[in-house]
Amino acid sequence: MDAFTAGLLQRIRTTESDLSRARDEGDDFLVEVEQSELDDLRRLAAEHGVEVGVARV
């Protein structure tokens, strides 16, 4: 796995965790921010052929 792929997958995992925490805390604004970031990261992964797998959140 190259550095780009590893970094992207790590950012996705971190964002998924942050999204889950925002949901648990009931922070609707932060949920929107994190969901938007996750959508962007997943789009970037798809554009570069990076397999992300099933969403955990």
Side-chain angles (χ1 to χ4, degrees):
M1 178 181 312
D2 63 28
F4 172 79
T5 300
L8 183 56
L9 292 174
Q10 179 58 45
R11 287 182 62 197
I12 289 171
R13 284 190 297 271
T14 299
T15 304
E16 287 174 338
S17 176
D18 292 345
L19 175 57
S20 181
R21 186 172 36 254
R23 285 180 176 156
D24 290 346
E25 294 173 358
D27 187 335
D28 294 336
F29 175 75
L30 190 55
V31 166
E32 290 295 321
V33 170
E34 296 298 344
Q35 185 63 61
S36 184
E37 175 72 8
L38 187 56
D39 292 345
D40 288 344
L41 291 169
R42 287 180 178 159
R43 187 187 74 251
L44 183 63
E47 289 174 358
H48 291 276
V50 175
E51 284 286 325
V52 175
V54 178
R56 295 179 304 206
V57 292

